[in-house]
Amino acid sequence: AQKITQTQPGMFVQEKEAVTLDCTYDTSDQSYGLFWYKQPSSGEMIFLIYQGSYDEQNATEGRYSLNFQKARKSANLVISASQLGDSAMYFCAMREGSGTYKYIFGTGTRLKVLA
Amino acid sequence: EAQVTQNPRYLITVTGKKLTVTCSQNMNHEYMSWYRQDPGLGLRQIYYSMNVEVTDKGDVPEGYKVSRKEKRNFPLILESPSPNQTSLYFCASNDRGRGPQYFGPGTRLLVL
């Protein structure tokens, strides 16, 4: 069955340092999409970054990059130069392929940035 | 402004009293979806719709109904709510089921 695993329930990082949030996925589809979302304490879901299964280069969006290792089925989020405003819950998600367009989310990682 | 709206934002109800949570998007998106978020479980997809009159079950559809009569609207219906449906609900949309989803602000539901 398709599955997203985030093994880090919580993490701390010092301000201005880089942090990696882990995400592994399981799918038998060849075509799929991987996403990261941020949920601050206010509750809204904010899209951060997207990686398609056929994309050869790792996706980057400003301070966010996605370390995509297809053979290992991992899609880790790297946040560079952490800021206090990065403190939030982070969710990894996968859009299933094969025409179903179902989405699966991980259980999330709560990141706290320390001053 | 491109947005997904949900109403109500907060709702307290009692077991068995039918309720509807509305969702509307102004981006002409074909794909719309409902999720519930529970502590420790992340977001779980309830139903999704690829287009008008086309709906499919997600991972947790039991106890919920949806309809897609218009492209912009995708209401979530709880015909007989139970306490285990107490949750934070999100509606989301995107274009043709690809790319990032745009989420509504969420509806916090408490069923007593």
Side-chain angles (χ1 to χ4, degrees):
Chain A
Q2 326 290 53
K3 190 176 180 181
I4 290 280
T5 302
Q6 294 181 254
T7 57
Q8 306 153 313
M11 289 190 70
F12 291 96
V13 64
Q14 207 65 37
E15 193 178 11
K16 299 180 185 177
E17 291 186 351
V19 62
T20 298
L21 306 184
D22 294 341
C23 173
T24 58
Y25 60 93
D26 188 18
T27 181
S28 56
D29 295 330
Q30 296 301 309
S31 175
Y32 51 88
L34 296 159
F35 306 82
W36 278 92
Y37 290 88
K38 172 184 178 181
Q39 186 179 43
S41 57
S42 51
E44 71 267 31
M45 294 289 290
I46 301 168
F47 165 71
L48 295 178
I49 197 165
Y50 165 77
Q51 180 87 39
S53 60
Y54 293 119
D55 295 340
E56 294 186 353
Q57 291 196 335
N58 287 342
T60 60
E61 290 285 350
R63 293 187 299 111
Y64 304 107
S65 60
L66 198 152
N67 185 0
F68 181 46
Q69 299 188 44
K70 195 170 183 177
R72 297 182 59 187
K73 293 189 175 179
S74 74
N76 298 339
L77 177 70
V78 180
I79 306 175
S80 63
S82 297
Q83 303 172 354
L84 295 178
D86 294 334
S87 293
M89 181 72 90
Y90 290 81
F91 291 101
C92 181
M94 177 172 64
R95 172 189 51 78
E96 295 184 4
S98 305
T100 65
Y101 299 107
K102 292 176 69 173
Y103 284 80
I104 301 168
F105 281 73
T107 53
T109 295
R110 186 171 297 279
L111 178 68
K112 175 71 173 176
V113 180
L114 305 174
Chain B
E1 179 190 356
Q3 59 182 355
V4 178
T5 57
Q6 294 178 228
N7 283 293
R9 294 289 312 281
Y10 304 91
L11 180 59
I12 301 174
T13 189
V14 295
T15 298
K17 186 176 181 182
K18 181 179 179 180
L19 67 91
T20 299
V21 184
T22 64
C23 173
S24 182
Q25 50 93 6
N26 63 1
M27 295 166 280
N28 202 36
H29 284 163
E30 293 180 352
Y31 185 94
M32 298 186 73
S33 182
W34 276 103
Y35 298 88
R36 61 177 290 173
Q37 181 180 5
D38 302 291
L41 297 179
L43 279 78
R44 294 178 291 168
Q45 193 170 36
I46 302 171
Y47 271 96
Y48 63 97
S49 168
M50 284 298 297
N51 213 327
V52 176
E53 303 292 359
V54 179
T55 62
D56 281 295
K57 296 178 181 178
D59 287 331
V60 289
E62 296 78 18
Y64 303 94
K65 284 178 59 177
V66 292
S67 68
R68 187 91 182 272
K69 293 183 169 52
E70 302 169 283
K71 196 172 187 178
R72 64 182 293 127
N73 296 324
F74 191 44
L76 179 69
I77 303 157
L78 284 71
E79 297 250 344
S80 183
S82 63
N84 64 11
Q85 292 178 299
T86 292
S87 189
L88 176 60
Y89 291 87
F90 285 102
C91 180
S93 74
N94 69 3
D95 192 26
R96 293 172 291 169
R98 300 186 180 276
Q101 293 182 82
Y102 293 84
F103 281 81
T107 295
R108 195 167 291 279
L109 172 65
L110 172 62
V111 183
L112 301 173

